Amino acid sequence: MTVSKRNKLLEVKHLKQYFNIGRSDEVKAVDDISFYINQGETFGLVGESGCGKSTTGRSIIRLYNPTSGEINFDGENVASINGRDRMNQFRRDVQMIYQDPYASLNPRMKVRDIIAEGIDIHKLAKNVGERNKRVDELLKLVGLDPSHGTRYPHEFSGGQRQRIGIARALAVEPKFIICDEPISALDVSIQAQVVNLLQELQEKQQLTYLFIAHDLSMVKYISDRIGVMYYGKLVEVGSAEEIYKYGLHPYTESLLSAIPLPDPEYERHRVRTTYKPEKTTATDLSLREISEDHYVYCSESAVPKYQEKLQEMKKQ
């Protein structure tokens, strides 16, 4: 896979994350994937539940030790980070926003203390006054009132709780944030507000995102590039516009066919595609470039077929 000439903040090379279940069974949650994320961009990772998206994010942040492969962050192999000071810096640089805004906040802590937890751990405030001032700024930044700092999580709606989670992630001034399905537990009416907030913060704070989700239309809205994941494999990678308009892999096509449109006539005749993996004897399957920066997981012999398919799609 050709690497962009822009400044790469994260590069994942042949990552494998296997789990043993029982004595002999092995689950290949992430099975030999490679991708990169440029500084300042959003890379969307999309696929159905159980495909390995969240496991990928947790491997990057070192919640799991990879079975094999390499994860480089800001030019350094994450596996080689040792020592308290270096690990603390990595924990500051890489933060995560979790899927469930209800379970990810300690119900016994006030919002002010939840947000300030990272500030306290990394000693980013000289005194209580500076700490509280920083928390108030963060609450304002995510669209909440500073007075909310004295309340407990149960006093807030799901969307407000996720804003608190975002403020907590921002408290240590990270470079990179893994957004692990941050909107899937929220009402549809609130989802767009949270995504818009993430985009605003990205511009203000010069952030880089890995945005994990199963909704391809929402991923397309926020992402610069998209990776489509199926059963531990990346089956297609390309720009958000290219994947959304010209998704080539049959699994990508099935995801695109499931996206509803606000058009009753279209919906009446919409045909949803069900992906059925084809049996193949090919042993050279890998991500191969079909057009510039557009990759599909296939054999060498299948490349001309996908190139022809892409040309036909662009003619329509």
Side-chain angles (χ1 to χ4, degrees):
M1 192 171 164
T2 305
V3 176
S4 168
K5 293 180 180 179
R6 289 173 59 192
N7 185 26
K8 299 189 304 296
L9 186 63
L10 179 81
E11 187 172 11
V12 174
K13 297 179 180 179
H14 302 291
L15 176 65
K16 294 182 181 180
Q17 188 70 67
Y18 298 170
F19 298 102
N20 291 320
I21 299 179
R23 293 182 178 178
S24 57
D25 292 338
E26 186 177 59
V27 174
K28 297 182 178 181
V30 179
D31 192 16
D32 194 9
I33 67 169
S34 300
F35 64 93
Y36 62 89
I37 305 178
N38 291 315
Q39 193 163 5
E41 80 169 349
T42 299
F43 184 84
L45 195 57
V46 64
E48 62 193 67
S49 297
C51 73
K53 307 183 303 297
S54 293
T55 302
T56 299
R58 290 168 187 172
S59 297
I60 291 170
I61 206 169
R62 273 189 61 164
L63 290 179
Y64 298 141
N65 292 318
T67 304
S68 66
E70 191 175 317
I71 300 168
N72 292 316
F73 177 76
D74 208 10
E76 184 175 18
N77 189 336
V78 169
S80 69
I81 297 175
N82 291 308
R84 185 173 180 177
D85 290 343
R86 289 178 67 201
M87 181 53 71
N88 280 346
Q89 186 60 52
F90 176 72
R91 295 296 188 208
R92 278 192 64 184
D93 289 340
V94 182
Q95 286 287 303
M96 181 176 278
I97 299 168
Y98 296 93
Q99 177 178 355
D100 189 347
Y102 296 89
S104 63
L105 304 179
N106 189 332
R108 298 184 180 183
M109 292 176 67
K110 291 182 179 180
V111 166
R112 181 178 301 283
D113 296 323
I114 289 171
I115 295 173
E117 200 167 12
I119 296 173
D120 296 339
I121 290 170
H122 294 283
K123 297 179 173 60
L124 301 179
K126 296 177 182 178
N127 51 54
V128 174
E130 187 176 312
R131 172 190 191 261
N132 291 341
K133 181 181 178 182
R134 176 62 179 149
V135 171
D136 290 346
E137 289 171 351
L138 287 163
L139 284 167
K140 289 178 183 177
L141 191 62
V142 298
L144 296 174
D145 192 273
S147 63
H148 290 161
T150 59
R151 300 181 186 179
Y152 289 91
H154 74 267
E155 300 179 64
F156 297 89
S157 66
Q160 288 174 319
R161 290 189 196 193
Q162 197 58 288
R163 288 173 186 265
I164 294 166
I166 293 170
R168 177 177 59 184
L170 292 174
V172 293
E173 301 175 353
K175 295 179 181 177
F176 179 62
I177 296 180
I178 299 168
C179 305
D180 186 12
E181 301 206 44
I183 59 173
S184 63
L186 305 178
D187 292 342
V188 175
S189 59
I190 305 299
Q191 289 180 357
Q193 294 178 22
V194 173
V195 168
N196 288 336
L197 172 63
L198 288 170
Q199 287 183 315
E200 291 170 12
L201 292 171
Q202 184 174 38
E203 292 182 15
K204 291 178 181 177
Q205 307 288 325
Q206 302 298 303
L207 296 168
T208 303
Y209 293 146
L210 171 62
F211 190 88
I212 298 169
H214 58 263
D215 182 349
L216 185 51
S217 60
M218 188 59 77
V219 171
K220 185 258 180 184
Y221 177 73
I222 192 173
S223 302
D224 298 291
R225 291 185 303 116
I226 292 174
V228 180
M229 202 165 181
Y230 179 77
Y231 269 67
K233 298 280 191 183
L234 275 175
V235 297
E236 191 160 2
V237 177
S239 71
E241 198 69 25
E242 184 86 359
I243 296 294
Y244 196 75
K245 283 186 177 180
Y246 308 116
L248 296 173
H249 193 277
Y251 179 65
T252 308
E253 290 183 321
S254 72
L255 293 180
L256 289 167
S257 73
I259 298 174
L261 294 177
D263 182 344
E265 189 62 28
Y266 170 83
E267 286 299 309
R268 197 173 292 119
H269 299 95
R270 176 164 64 96
V271 178
R272 182 166 180 171
T273 304
T274 301
Y275 176 53
K276 296 180 180 179
E278 295 180 4
K279 293 183 178 180
T280 178
T281 57
T283 57
D284 63 335
L285 295 172
S286 67
L287 274 178
R288 300 183 183 277
E289 194 168 28
I290 306 303
S291 62
E292 187 176 2
D293 293 329
H294 188 169
Y295 301 83
V296 174
Y297 185 74
C298 64
S299 63
E300 182 67 37
S301 61
V303 171
K305 179 189 74 173
Y306 280 116
Q307 288 175 333
E308 183 179 347
K309 181 179 179 180
L310 180 59
Q311 290 174 1
E312 289 299 318
M313 292 173 76
K314 290 187 174 181
K315 287 179 183 178
Q316 296 175 3

